[in-house]
Structures are given as structure tokens and as C-alpha cells.
Amino acid sequence: MELDQILTNNVEEIVHETVTKLKNLGHPLTNKLEYSVLSNRIRKLVNQSVAAIKSGVDEGFINYMDDIILNRSGEGYSFIDMQNIMTVLRDKFIEIIERECYEQPDKIVEYLKVIINFTGESRICMANAYIKVRENTIIQQQQALNELSTPIIPLFDKIVVVPLVGTIDTFRAKQTIERLLNAIVSEQAEIVIIDVTGVPIIDTAVAQNLLNAVNAARLLGSTCILVGISPDMAQTIIKLDVNLFSDIITNTNLKKGLETALNMIDLEIKPRKKE
Amino acid sequence: MEIPILKIDNCLVVSIQGSLTDTAALDLQENLARDISQQEPVGVLVDLTAVEIVDSFVAKVLSDISSMSKLMGVKVVVTGIQPGVAITLIELGITLDGIRTALNLQKGVDFLRASY
């Protein structure tokens, strides 16, 4: 009898025993799911596995794996949880082969090889599926981060504020510069206040990116005021020995920066006169 | 196509329209140097509002034109640099140090007016 035939004949036993064993092992899937739901899922996995054992791990099987891993990881089951199911299933397959083919030792060897190959390949599929899910998550988070990061705020006529938060890598710096320049043109901003209070660390690359932003804004005809350089950051800049910021107007904090900015366009904030 | 150099009051105004060819840029540099020495203006205004793209050569010539005018003792103001152009200039390391820039023609003119 062919291997897939042997396994197909024993599907119900495989499903039942796998679920029972998972339960005994205290597998997290068994804590949350009814027996009927879990056994349906395992039955599907067994059927797909038998199909893959018969015709090799093909696209259909890979898609099926991608699909279940996407759902399971969404439900919070880890890679190890899913691998454990595969291990239990493999042990059960081996047990059945030993029982059904006890009179044909050479068949046992042949079928065991197939099972070993299949479990190996299915584990790779699973790992790949997990990586795909993770990569998608990372891409989505990066997009969310890009959308969130660096608003450019028109603070007053002719003044825009750029509050930088987090590490300024080159990609982000480029994006920010682009958006800043467009904002300068659309707002006709004469003064740009760049607030680096939220930038935790500075290195030469970050410093260079900041300088690029300042110079680009200057080319358009606006003046940049750099505010919120922390004591640590100032120390680092000195140690880096970059003479980058010597030509740039700097202020302690946003408040001072705003005062300077208003002063430059001949405006001031005054208390209202009492009647 | 030659780029016209216009005279208003005591200033020369160069408005560059569309893309600038290499020869046109070099011609402009030469003509502007000649006009500065002949007409002795107080200021030179270079308007780049209509320039969307520059290549490295033209960027260098523009930077040279500005520095050259400054060297000849006139006040220089470059106006209306577009964001894309600014990014190109920065990437090429051209920062137009010491040259006054303004957001638009009006502000450039205001700056020159204030200086004489």
C-alpha cells in the first residue's frame, strides 16, 4: 500500500491522537479551543500534509501554510507552538507507518525517509511564513511611523516649526527636508524653527542631515533657528569636533526660538493693555 | 537662447526661464560679468522661480555667477529657488555661502532696495 493511502485510511485516528497528545502536553491551542474546532483544524492540516506527502510540497501547501500562520500568529501563537504541532504529527505518522508496514521493513525505511523530508520541508515553509508575517508587520509599522513622524507646523505668519522626534536617519532626514522645503514655499515662511528636543542621540550623520536641512532652507531664502540642543548633545557635538553649527542661529528652547523669530520679523508678544 | 539681463534702477535682474543649457549658462556668466563692470550696478538679482531642474554643471555655474558678482563688489540675491533645486544643490555640496537668498522676487527686490 502507498504511504498516502496508509495515512488517509488513518486520518481520524491521527487527528484524535494528535489532539489528545497536544492536550496532554498542555499546548496553548488546547486551552482556548473546543475539541471539535481544534480537531477540524488538525484534520485540515493532516489532509494538506498527506496531499503534500503524495505530490511534494507545492504552491498549494505553501499558500496553506502562509494562511494558517498568518491567522495563528495573529491569535498570538508562537513559532514554537506551531512547530510542536508538527512534531506531534510527525511522531504519529511514524507510529502508523511502523504499525501498518511491520511486515515490510524496507518499506518502513522508505516511508520514514519521505516523512523526514516532508517534516523538514514543512518546517521551512512554516518558518518562511512566520518571516513573511513579521516582515509585513515591520513594513506596516515603518509606514505608520513615516506618516506620524515630523509634522511641519505653521506656527504664525512666516514662521514654521519642525519638531524632530527620535533618531534622524538619512531616509527620514531626506523625507523631512523635502516636506520642509515644500512647506516653506507654500507657507512663504521666512523663518524655520527646528526643535531637536526629542532627538535622543546625535552622531556625525545626524549632524550632517541637520546641516543639510538648514542649508537647503537657506537656499530657499528662509532662516533656520535650531532649538532644544540638550547638554549631552552639545557635549557630543563638541567631541565630534564638527564645526557644523557655528553659522547657525541656536536657541536654548522653543520659547526662546519663537522670541528670536518674532523679533526677526519685527513682531513681539506683549500683555494686553488693561482698560 | 540668450538669457536677458534687465536693468531696473541701480540693479540688474536676471530671470531664468525653464531649463538652462550649458552654453546658455556660460554665456550668462560672461554677459553678466561684462554688464556688471560696464553698468556698475548696486545689486544683482537672480530669479530661479521658473527653474524646476538643474544638473551639476548648471548648478556649479549658478553658484559661480553668484560668487563672481559678489567678488565684483555688488550685492547678490538669489530668489525663488524651488525645493527640488535646493535639494540638488545641497547634494552637490553647493550651499551658496555668503550669498543672500529670498523666497520670492518681491522679497529679493525689497532686500536690494533696502541696501541703497
Side-chain angles (χ1 to χ4, degrees), chain A residues 24-247:
Chain A
N24 292 340
L25 288 170
H27 192 280
L29 265 174
T30 58
N31 297 337
K32 293 178 194 159
L33 295 177
E34 293 287 318
Y35 174 83
S36 58
V37 180
L38 184 56
S39 60
N40 270 338
R41 286 188 181 179
I42 298 293
R43 187 171 301 113
K44 222 174 182 178
L45 175 64
V46 173
N47 286 334
Q48 289 284 349
S49 301
V50 172
I53 286 168
K54 188 182 178 190
S55 56
V57 172
D58 54 6
E59 200 147 313
F61 186 75
I62 292 172
N63 286 341
Y64 164 76
M65 270 295 172
D66 284 353
D67 217 41
I68 56 164
I69 295 300
L70 179 66
N71 290 329
R72 294 308 154 263
S73 72
E75 289 163 9
Y77 299 110
S78 71
F79 180 60
I80 303 285
D81 291 339
M82 302 309 288
Q83 290 287 343
N84 286 342
I85 297 176
M86 224 51 225
T87 310
V88 172
L89 205 58
R90 180 199 61 192
D91 292 347
K92 191 63 210 165
F93 282 164
I94 292 173
E95 194 188 312
I96 287 185
I97 290 167
E98 279 173 339
R99 192 185 64 208
E100 299 285 328
C101 309
Y102 67 98
E103 282 169 344
Q104 305 156 277
D106 51 333
K107 277 278 180 213
I108 292 184
V109 173
E110 186 197 325
Y111 289 167
L112 282 186
K113 272 185 188 161
V114 174
I115 293 296
I116 289 168
N117 271 340
F118 164 72
T119 28
E121 278 183 57
S122 69
R123 282 183 204 281
I124 291 170
C125 281
M126 222 178 238
N128 249 334
Y130 258 95
I131 292 168
K132 273 185 211 164
V133 171
R134 290 285 185 277
E135 272 173 355
N136 273 336
T137 316
I138 292 169
I139 289 168
Q140 279 167 9
Q141 283 174 344
Q142 210 158 33
Q143 276 169 350
L145 201 68
N146 286 339
E147 282 163 17
L148 286 175
S149 71
T150 337
I152 288 163
I153 308 162
L155 188 65
F156 197 72
D157 293 346
K158 302 178 188 173
I159 303 176
V160 294
V161 176
V162 188
L164 295 178
V165 176
T167 319
I168 313 297
D169 56 25
T170 309
F171 175 74
R172 252 190 90 192
K174 269 202 176 137
Q175 217 180 23
T176 310
I177 290 173
E178 219 162 280
R179 291 182 43 221
L180 170 63
L181 297 186
N182 285 324
I184 289 173
V185 172
S186 63
E187 302 287 330
Q188 288 291 298
E190 282 185 18
I191 294 160
V192 178
I193 304 177
I194 301 179
D195 183 9
V196 292
T197 316
V199 179
I201 44 161
I202 190 162
D203 55 21
T204 36
V206 175
Q208 188 59 50
N209 288 332
L210 275 174
L211 192 75
N212 281 350
V214 172
N215 280 331
R218 204 187 67 82
L219 281 180
L220 260 57
S222 354
T223 311
C224 276
I225 302 173
L226 198 61
V227 302
I229 295 182
S230 66
D232 282 348
M233 204 194 265
Q235 296 271 11
T236 321
I237 292 171
I238 297 298
K239 279 193 197 117
L240 287 173
D241 206 23
V242 278
N243 206 12
L244 294 176
F245 298 112
S246 51
D247 300 332

Side-chain angles (χ1 to χ4, degrees), chain B residues 29-46:
Chain B
Q29 185 172 11
E30 213 168 290
N31 294 343
L32 189 62
R34 189 197 58 216
D35 284 8
I36 290 172
S37 75
Q38 281 175 2
Q39 307 187 14
E40 298 173 9
V42 178
V44 170
L45 189 149
V46 182

